[in-house]
Amino acid sequence: MKYIYLLLFTCTTFFVNAQDLSEIYKKVSPAVVIIFTSEKEVVSSEISKTNVVTKEGLGSGFMISDRLIVTAAHVVTVPEKISVLFPDGDVIPATVVSSYKSADIALIKLFRPRINPVTVAFGDSDALEVGERIFVIGAPYGQGASLSSGYVSGIRKDQSSKNPFINREFIQTDAAINHGNSGGPMFNLKGEVVGIVSSIATQSGGFDGIGYASTSNLAAKLLMNDKMPWLGADMHTLSTKECKLLNVPQANALLVQRVVDSSIFGEMGIKGGHTEVVIDNQKLILGGDIILGFNDLIFELNEASLNKLAAFANNMGDHPKFTVTIYRDGKILTLKHQ
C-alpha cells in the first residue's frame, strides 16, 4: 500500500511542478529572443591560401529593458551585423555595448526601443543549491522559445586567477543545451534569470548531459556596474615566446586578429590579420596590428599592470578618449580615439 501512496505522491508532485513550469514559461518566454549575426572569418583553403568569408551565427538572448539584451560573448564576438528576432516576428538591428570574453557574457542594444517589451530580471545565483530545479529557454538549432528543464549539477567558480580580466563563474546543469541556446536565460522556479547559457562539455558533438551557464550575479556586476565598452576586436594575448617569434619589442602584447569596421577600433584604423597559422597547436590569425599599450600603460602580464589596465578599461565611459600604441610592419605607431 505504501508503494501506491508513494506513486500517487510522485505523480501529483510532477503534475504540480509541470503546471507551475508551464505558467512561468508563459510569463517569461516573450522576453527571450533569437540573435542572428554576420561576421568576417579568415579561413585557409586546401592550396594554403587564406580567404575572408562571411560567417552566419545563431544564438539566444533576453530583454532586461526596452532596448537592452543580455547574451553570451561568443555569440557576438566580432559581428558586422546583428539582427534580433522577437517571438511576434518583429526584427530589430542591434549593436554590442560591452562584452566579457572569459565570463562569456555580453550586452547588446537595439537600434530602436521595443514597443510594449516583456523583460525579465536577474535573480541571486549565489542562492542556488545543487539539486535545485532550473529551466532554460532559447533557440536550439533556430527553434525559438524552446524549453528544457533540469537541475543544478554544480557551481564552478575560478578564484585562482589574479588576472582581473579573467572572471569565471559557471552553473553546471543537466538541462539540454544545443547550438542556438547560447546566450539564452537559465531561470529558477521564481522566473528569475540565474544564468546565461554558455557552453556544453561534449565528446559526441551534441549534448552529453553537461552544460554550463554564466552566473547572473557576475553578469549583473560586469554588465550593469563596470560597463567596459566594446572595442570591436577579437584579440589574443601573446606570451613571451610568441612575442619573440613575432619580433615584438616587449615581453607581452595583444594580437589583433579580427576587427569590426564600425567599432571603436575600426574607427581608429586598427587592422586585423589576414593569414591563419598554427603555433603550439593553436590557430592564430597573423598580419594584423599588435597592441603594446593604452595611454601610458604598457601591456604586461603581471598583477600590477593588469589591475591598472582593468581600471582604465572600466572607466572609459560611453565616449572614451584614449591612445593605443601598436606595432605594425616593424614600426611603433600611436593611434588616437577622440
Side-chain angles (χ1 to χ4, degrees):
M1 194 70 169
K2 66 178 180 180
Y3 296 110
I4 296 176
Y5 285 133
L6 178 61
L7 179 61
L8 288 173
F9 174 78
T10 302
C11 291
T12 302
T13 302
F14 174 79
F15 177 75
V16 171
N17 286 342
Q19 193 175 42
D20 289 346
L21 196 58
S22 178
E23 291 303 314
I24 299 170
Y25 172 83
K26 291 177 184 178
K27 292 179 181 179
V28 301
S29 61
V32 183
V33 302
I34 304 176
I35 299 173
F36 298 97
T37 62
S38 296
E39 63 182 45
K40 296 176 182 177
E41 184 175 27
V42 177
V43 295
S44 297
S45 66
E46 294 179 357
I47 55 176
S48 299
K49 289 186 177 180
T50 302
N51 299 308
V52 178
V53 300
T54 298
K55 178 184 177 182
E56 305 297 326
L58 170 70
S60 302
F62 55 94
M63 296 203 72
I64 58 172
S65 77
D66 63 349
R67 291 189 70 180
L68 295 177
I69 292 171
V70 175
T71 185
H74 75 268
V75 172
V76 291
T77 304
V78 281
E80 296 290 342
K81 180 181 178 182
I82 303 175
S83 297
V84 179
L85 173 63
F86 292 86
D88 63 359
D90 190 16
V91 178
I92 305 177
T95 186
V96 182
V97 176
S98 58
S99 179
Y100 293 83
K101 185 176 180 179
S102 67
D104 200 15
I105 49 177
L107 188 68
I108 65 175
K109 187 175 184 179
L110 300 172
F111 279 20
R112 61 174 171 83
R114 167 78 168 158
I115 299 174
N116 299 320
V118 176
T119 62
V120 288
F122 286 126
D124 182 6
S125 55
D126 284 344
L128 285 175
E129 296 183 359
V130 174
E132 183 172 338
R133 192 173 181 189
I134 51 82
F135 66 98
V136 169
I137 300 177
Y141 300 105
Q143 303 299 312
S146 295
L147 178 147
S148 61
S149 66
Y151 296 89
V152 175
S153 305
I155 308 292
R156 313 298 178 193
K157 296 186 179 183
D158 182 0
Q159 299 176 333
S160 61
S161 176
K162 295 183 179 180
N163 185 340
F165 293 99
I166 296 179
N167 298 282
R168 295 193 184 103
E169 286 187 7
F170 293 101
I171 303 161
Q172 182 184 329
T173 181
D174 63 345
I177 294 171
N178 288 287
H179 174 66
N181 274 118
S182 294
M186 172 187 284
F187 292 99
N188 61 20
L189 293 187
K190 296 178 183 178
E192 300 169 329
V193 177
V194 290
I196 299 89
V197 174
S198 176
S199 61
I200 59 174
T202 179
Q203 293 182 340
S204 65
F207 183 67
D208 289 347
I210 300 177
Y212 297 97
S214 303
T215 66
S216 59
N217 284 6
L218 183 59
K221 174 185 180 298
L222 295 178
L223 299 179
M224 302 295 104
N225 297 326
D226 291 349
K227 293 185 179 180
M228 183 172 69
W230 180 64
L231 298 176
D234 175 17
M235 295 181 285
H236 167 75
T237 300
L238 293 172
S239 66
T240 301
K241 177 183 176 181
E242 291 167 337
C243 281
K244 288 181 179 178
L245 288 172
L246 299 174
N247 294 317
V248 178
Q250 61 186 49
N252 299 111
L254 292 170
L255 172 66
V256 180
Q257 301 190 100
R258 293 180 293 167
V259 179
V260 175
D261 293 339
S262 60
S263 67
I264 292 176
F265 271 9
E267 293 171 352
M268 293 176 70
I270 292 178
K271 298 178 180 180
H274 49 69
T275 302
E276 188 179 72
V277 300
V278 177
I279 299 176
D280 287 339
N281 296 319
Q282 180 172 242
K283 288 185 178 180
L284 297 176
I285 303 172
L286 302 183
D289 292 333
I290 296 175
I291 296 176
L292 304 178
F294 298 86
N295 289 347
D296 58 345
L297 301 173
I298 297 174
F299 185 82
E300 297 176 295
L301 290 179
N302 60 63
E303 187 176 354
S305 177
L306 291 172
N307 282 327
K308 289 178 182 179
L309 286 168
F312 158 73
N314 290 326
N315 288 285
M316 292 175 75
D318 295 331
H319 304 285
K321 295 182 179 180
F322 62 96
T323 61
V324 179
T325 303
I326 64 170
Y327 186 62
R328 177 191 293 173
D329 298 329
K331 299 178 181 178
I332 296 177
L333 305 173
T334 300
L335 303 179
K336 294 183 179 181
H337 187 264
Q338 301 289 354

